[in-house]
Amino acid sequence: MVATTTVAFLWASWGSCHSIVPPQRWRRGVVDVDKNHDYGSILTATEWESLTSTQDDMPGSANKIGVGVAITSFLGTAFLPCPPDTSLTGASRRFGSYKKFLVYDNLQDICTAIRKYIVDLHIFEGLGVGRASATALVATMSFALRDFFGICSSLAFSAVVSRNLARHVKQWKFFSALMLDLGLAMKVTANLKRQWFLPLLCGGSICEAMYGVTTSPCTSIINLHWANTVLGSEDGIAEIISKRRAQRTLNELVGGRTDGLGD
């Protein structure tokens, strides 16, 4: 299970980085998209009109069609930003790249959430949950030492790389995915040898701290990039982030908690 989700996570990480289109200047006046297309929903505006106009002619099936259209439109409105300006060149292609990025990024979140539950199981076993010799004081001290190394490494790593995170965002995003993989792997294997449990637990916390330092700035830059690319203005950053949080909420229903995965 861990190996399968790890492979899927790496594949989704590569796909999400690869699907980020390079920034280009918007040009007005040249339209290469369908003006009747509602990019926030699955159906086009023309299809919507053709379906709704036939409701009077087909009373039995019109209600079913209306419900299907309402559901698809609701899903598009709840999880995707508003349609881009069709007067911007390449709006259709860029919005397609954005949806491709969302597929990979959400798959990455689901894989991480599932693995975190497996990691918690191994950590509790390593702490001795279920054994008579285990004490709450030992578990508390282990968690305190783990958090201490994580906080210190986060501060140190942030001081070193914070000025360079705006460069090569794709590479830093993939680096953060590798650090998360390494941190979770160390925590899973920590239970295999009891004498290495605490060093591996602290090492995994250090790797996850490096992941946290890199993933949040990269995610902010990528959200700003999609606001400019999809909506044509930095003013769309709030909508991009809010729809991303809605997707995270849906991911919690599928794979579990997604806290600590960046915004």
Side-chain angles (χ1 to χ4, degrees):
M1 184 66 177
V2 176
T4 303
T5 52
T6 300
V7 172
F9 175 82
L10 289 175
W11 175 72
S13 300
W14 179 88
S16 63
C17 294
H18 184 70
S19 61
I20 301 176
V21 296
Q24 298 179 6
R25 298 180 63 88
W26 289 97
R27 293 185 296 110
R28 295 183 178 272
V30 181
V31 181
D32 62 350
V33 294
D34 185 6
K35 291 184 178 182
N36 292 325
H37 200 291
D38 180 7
Y39 294 94
S41 60
I42 299 176
L43 298 178
T44 63
T46 304
E47 293 171 341
W48 173 278
E49 293 176 358
S50 63
L51 289 175
T52 55
S53 61
T54 58
Q55 289 184 358
D56 295 334
D57 301 332
M58 297 181 298
S61 60
N63 293 332
K64 297 180 180 179
I65 296 177
V67 172
V69 171
I71 293 175
T72 53
S73 299
F74 170 77
L75 293 176
T77 304
F79 300 109
L80 292 176
C82 292
D85 188 356
T86 55
S87 64
L88 303 176
T89 302
S92 177
R93 179 178 61 85
R94 290 188 174 91
F95 197 68
S97 299
Y98 174 66
K99 290 189 289 187
K100 181 181 178 181
F101 166 80
L102 289 181
V103 171
Y104 285 116
D105 203 39
N106 285 297
L107 177 62
Q108 182 179 350
D109 290 346
I110 294 174
C111 293
T112 302
I114 294 175
R115 287 184 302 167
K116 280 194 171 185
Y117 284 115
I118 301 175
V119 168
D120 289 343
L121 173 63
H122 286 272
I123 289 177
F124 289 141
E125 289 179 352
L127 291 173
V129 175
R131 294 197 305 265
S133 59
T135 61
L137 179 61
V138 174
T140 302
M141 295 302 297
S142 299
F143 283 137
L145 192 61
R146 178 202 63 179
D147 294 341
F148 173 78
F149 277 97
I151 292 172
C152 292
S153 58
S154 177
L155 294 175
F157 189 67
S158 177
V160 173
V161 304
S162 58
R163 293 186 178 181
N164 299 321
L165 291 176
R167 305 174 183 177
H168 310 292
V169 177
K170 293 182 182 181
Q171 288 81 353
W172 280 116
K173 178 176 173 57
F174 193 71
F175 170 81
S176 66
L178 292 178
M179 287 297 101
L180 181 60
D181 269 340
L182 181 59
L184 294 178
M186 294 177 69
K187 289 183 176 181
V188 168
T189 56
N191 189 36
L192 298 180
K193 287 189 177 181
R194 198 61 55 83
Q195 62 272 22
W196 288 98
F197 175 78
L198 191 57
L200 288 176
L201 183 65
C202 295
S205 181
I206 292 174
C207 293
E208 289 188 352
M210 297 170 67
Y211 160 80
V213 169
T214 53
T215 189
S216 294
C218 289
T219 302
S220 300
I221 295 174
I222 291 172
N223 287 335
L224 183 61
H225 164 76
W226 286 123
N228 287 317
T229 303
V230 177
L231 302 179
S233 172
E234 295 181 358
D235 296 336
I237 183 65
E239 184 177 4
I240 293 291
I241 294 176
S242 64
K243 295 304 172 65
R244 190 68 187 93
R245 295 305 305 173
Q247 296 159 19
R248 286 276 171 83
T249 303
L250 182 62
N251 292 340
E252 291 178 357
L253 297 176
V254 178
R257 74 185 195 276
T258 57
D259 54 307
L261 298 182
D263 295 325

